[in-house]
Amino acid sequence: MASWLCGSILLIAFATTFSDDFESDLSPQWQVVSGSPKRAADPDSPDRLVLELGSSSKLMLRLDPPMRDFVIEARVRFAEDRKWVEAPFLLRSDETGNQAIQVYLEQKSDRIIAMRYQDGVHHLAAALCPARLEIGPWYRVKVAAVGDRIGAWVDGKLALGFRDDSPRAGCVGLRVGDARTYYDDVCVRPPNEQERATLGRIQFPGRPRAEMIESVYSFPDGSQVVLRCPDVVEPLTPFDVLMEEKGHTQPAEYLLIVEQQSIPLTPGKPLRLTLSGREGDRTFRLMRNARPVGTARVRVQAATFFEAGPFTALFDKLQHRVSRDRHPWRRKGRVFHANPTWFRDHVHEMKAYKFWEHDLSSFVDELIELQHPEGFYYEIIGPADHDHQTFVSEKHRLIEKDQNLCWIRLEMEADVEYLMVEAVYALWKATGDLRALRKRLPSLDRALEYDFTHPTRWDSKHGALKRTFSIDTWDFTYGISDQNRKIEPGMPMGIMHGDNSGLYAACRQLAEMYRAVGESAKADEWDRKAADLRERINKLCWNGRFYTHQILLQPVDTGASEEEILSLSNTYDINRDLPTHDMAVKIIDEYQARRKRHADTHFAEWYAIDPPYPQFGPYPAGRYINGGIAGFVAGELAKAALNHGREAYGADILLRVAKRVARDGYIGFLYDAKGKDMGGGPQGWSAAAVISALIEGLAGIRDDSTLFHRATISPRFLAAGIDKARVCARYGPSGAYVTLAYEHAPADKTIRLRLAGVSEHAAVRLLLPEGALHADVVEPKGVSSKIETVEASRYVCLPFPRPLSTGVADVLVRYGD
């Protein structure tokens, strides 16, 4: 974007509302500080006049008094095609516009963007506009700011929402960096109630921040009651409601009716409340001497966060990393989001962003619409000239020149179809949308049938999914140019355990989804296929310690033994439930054994493969996927360990990741043996795997149905030496959530767990300290519990007797030797 720190400036002082249609002269109302902005004829209506801003121009409205909360709106029109074509608004600015928030339309990329200019340039937010931006048409743009919440609309459609971390009163203005832009019908005014409410309902990135609302109720005798409460609150987070009297001479009794509970209120004394249940508005009713006085509204809003010792900063950095991989695309008038642009990465990163992003389905549904008649899916999206289209045959690419899009399937990849099932399963869990699920199921059925029947995918002799001989799930073939991603006669083929664990999990997920829509016969069929596949793969690929890397279908002399290669998908196998628990523990212990064995040469044991091949394609031993140390393996291995009785080891992995991220500021995709970042793929894949380990492993929040209707909470913070933690897991598309507050008091030998959420059925599994042999449930009273042993670990397990949706749950356990 072109620099805009110089140019013409106009200043005007006015009260709290301003409007200008530019039909009158600029003077004497406008004071020109520099430059010469001018009125010009509207190209569509020459008898009308509009404001024309040329290159590097800027004009300001100096508000008197300055405004923090306001709406600025105008019609804008791009007048010419140049390098930069923009229509910016300046908000909360100093009088020069040098320190301001800028919200602008960027025509070249069809985006609306928010930046802050203060001690440098800081990106705040960006999104594709609802429709393509063209040179010539008029667009209606509105920006509303209330407290730290800012929203922007284009032609009446909300296009962008973001937060201002330091809201302040100031000026507003307009500017242009390069190409000429027209403005008309500029208006600045206070926000109305509907705009305030809309901003209040937007799910902004990050945790909600409250604005204090004051409601004043007047009585015939001239007295008043003032009720103060926040406009938005987090579940499980205490907040205060304060009521004060003005002018009262007679004592009165006050009650606040909160969700059918009557709570006494004392004037001047804060009432502390904590809420649970669904997101949305709660209405509080104020009673005085048993007579209604009025109501106040508080919105309950959850957000995913993780506060637990060193993992607090880690989680924030990882979430930011995954969010940066989000890319909007437009096809046939629809906007969809890929995270990032390979579907494989998109699904692996969904393990994290399902907990905050609104849109989980658009990329999935585009790929389902484009499903090939044979049953396979494309996996890569890019511009029409994307280089990978040359790596595949014509059948495995689709070029839409009119959309400037290219869709590519690397034929040798065997994971795309089962990853599509995983994606649909995840978004079903996060939305509970059975109608959408029914529409997607036939496509998933065709995709898995393709895996089970197509000769390039299925090895009928062994009854297993096959691929060309690659490193685990990677995308180039041994002895073949890495620019050839086809399956051709004579190429070496093999059965890779990770493909088959993915297919096994997909069969089970498909069965569960069919059962949810009432198709039990289909569900039973896919369950049988899953059970049969699991039995075959565990016989074929299990070598007694872990899964053999590749079961080669023809001899290949690589200089390495496939039976000794521990490859990355072993960790995924565990989390897909392919091995039994005993087998899973053996895999985890193999990683620990190799960590000791390589302690002098490798900074971590999160190998892509170990030992590496002497050479695989262009990569010698230890380079890239041929022996690199993978951040995503760290996450998957940690989650596996935490869920299989190796909690201390899983926590140790996460602590080592936290130290590395604190040192480097990010998590890498692949490292060399000494810990140097080798790049090679999306860091968000690694970040998402660790986020999943934190939420579903360390915090132990598990959705046993959809929308957390049934949930199991198994906090394991003790394994990381953490005695206090607060965590919330919230599905972005639906707002379904579970949040917990955990506190371990070693001196008292107690563990307290407080829960809020939407669950109708919640089960608690509390990890006990090492050496604790028994535990008594102090709260809730009268609940039966049991001790469950997983390897050497002990959990005290109990069902919570009432739904979390009805109020905050409190569990207190006292343990002993």
Side-chain angles (χ1 to χ4, degrees), residues 452-508:
F452 274 99
T453 59
H454 198 277
T456 61
R457 295 281 170 244
W458 189 248
D459 181 70
S460 56
K461 177 181 178 181
H462 296 92
L465 197 60
K466 65 181 178 181
R467 64 162 52 227
T468 63
F469 177 24
S470 63
I471 292 180
D472 200 272
T473 190
W474 242 247
D475 58 350
F476 54 95
T477 303
Y478 187 84
I480 306 295
S481 167
D482 64 353
Q483 296 191 12
N484 181 354
R485 312 292 174 89
K486 306 171 188 175
I487 300 177
E488 297 178 324
M491 282 187 174
M493 303 292 291
I495 295 168
M496 198 276 290
H497 54 96
D499 288 332
N500 288 278
S501 69
L503 183 58
Y504 163 73
C507 291
R508 293 181 62 204

Side-chain angles (χ1 to χ4, degrees), residues 44 72-78 87 89 103-105 110-112 128-144 151-160 182 184-185 195 330:
D44 293 337
I72 179 171
E73 51 188 329
R75 293 196 309 145
V76 302
R77 175 177 177 145
F78 307 112
F89 290 60
V103 178
Y104 63 103
L105 301 187
D110 294 327
R111 294 190 301 166
I112 183 166
L128 273 182
C129 287
R132 290 192 183 277
L133 299 177
E134 299 177 356
I135 295 172
W138 283 98
Y139 299 96
R140 189 72 180 175
V141 180
K142 178 174 76 171
V143 181
W153 288 255
V154 179
D155 288 342
K157 295 181 179 179
L158 182 65
L160 187 68
Y182 295 131
D184 194 20
D185 298 332
E195 289 158 342
R330 183 180 277 112

Side-chain angles (χ1 to χ4, degrees), residues 2-24:
S3 171
W4 56 271
L5 295 181
C6 61
S8 57
I9 300 177
L10 305 177
L11 295 176
I12 185 169
F14 64 99
T16 57
T17 301
F18 173 85
S19 63
D20 197 341
D21 60 9
F22 301 105
E23 294 300 321
S24 342

Side-chain angles (χ1 to χ4, degrees), residues 476-666:
F476 54 95
T477 303
Y478 187 84
I480 306 295
S481 167
D482 64 353
Q483 296 191 12
N484 181 354
R485 312 292 174 89
K486 306 171 188 175
I487 300 177
E488 297 178 324
M491 282 187 174
M493 303 292 291
I495 295 168
M496 198 276 290
H497 54 96
D499 288 332
N500 288 278
S501 69
L503 183 58
Y504 163 73
C507 291
R508 293 181 62 204
Q509 291 163 348
L510 192 55
E512 186 179 343
M513 290 186 284
Y514 267 124
R515 199 160 277 118
V517 300
E519 296 194 38
S520 57
K522 277 280 193 183
D524 291 344
E525 176 188 346
W526 285 108
D527 271 336
R528 284 193 296 271
K529 286 189 175 184
D532 292 345
L533 180 63
R534 187 189 196 203
E535 182 178 3
R536 290 194 299 271
I537 297 305
N538 282 344
K539 287 181 180 178
L540 178 65
C541 300
W542 182 253
N543 65 21
R545 295 178 294 155
F546 53 89
Y547 289 101
T548 295
H549 177 222
Q550 287 267 11
I551 305 299
L552 295 174
L553 301 181
Q554 63 285 299
V556 182
D557 183 9
T558 63
S561 169
E562 294 298 312
E563 289 76 14
E564 289 302 313
I565 294 176
L566 179 67
S567 75
L568 65 93
S569 279
N570 273 275
T571 60
Y572 287 89
D573 297 338
I574 299 172
N575 295 324
R576 293 166 178 162
D577 290 331
L578 181 71
T580 65
H581 168 72
D582 289 342
M583 293 163 67
V585 171
K586 288 182 178 180
I587 295 171
I588 296 165
D589 290 349
E590 181 69 21
Y591 276 95
Q592 294 191 79
R594 296 196 183 202
R595 179 189 180 191
K596 294 178 181 177
R597 187 187 311 164
H598 299 320
D600 294 336
T601 57
H602 291 68
F603 85 99
E605 72 282 13
W606 319 318
Y607 319 105
I609 58 169
D610 178 71
Y613 295 94
Q615 185 81 26
F616 202 108
Y619 303 104
R623 303 305 300 173
Y624 186 50
I625 204 66
N626 188 20
I629 308 296
F632 50 91
V633 172
E636 293 291 333
L637 180 58
K639 183 165 68 172
L642 286 160
N643 283 309
H644 284 276
R646 294 291 189 261
E647 294 87 353
Y649 177 51
D652 174 68
I653 293 171
L654 294 175
L655 287 167
R656 285 184 280 146
V657 169
K659 288 180 180 178
R660 181 153 295 271
V661 172
R663 187 196 72 179
D664 298 341
Y666 66 92

Side-chain angles (χ1 to χ4, degrees), residues 31-52:
Q31 178 187 357
V32 178
V33 176
S34 64
S36 54
K38 63 181 182 180
R39 295 184 301 150
D42 184 337
D44 293 337
S45 304
D47 57 332
R48 286 180 51 104
L49 294 175
V50 298
L51 178 68
E52 178 185 301

Side-chain angles (χ1 to χ4, degrees), residues 322-323 326 339 352-360 731-733:
V322 173
S323 298
R326 198 100 171 142
N339 214 104
Y353 67 76
K354 68 183 179 182
F355 291 120
W356 62 80
E357 294 290 359
H358 296 279
D359 173 20
L360 304 186
Y731 287 137

Side-chain angles (χ1 to χ4, degrees), residues 80-108:
E80 61 180 340
D81 187 6
R82 291 168 64 100
K83 182 178 181 180
W84 303 105
V85 184
E86 304 164 325
F89 290 60
L90 302 177
L91 321 175
R92 293 175 172 170
S93 173
D94 62 6
E95 292 187 1
T96 68
N98 291 341
Q99 297 188 38
I101 291 174
Q102 177 174 278
V103 178
Y104 63 103
L105 301 187
E106 186 180 76
Q107 185 267 331
K108 295 292 187 182

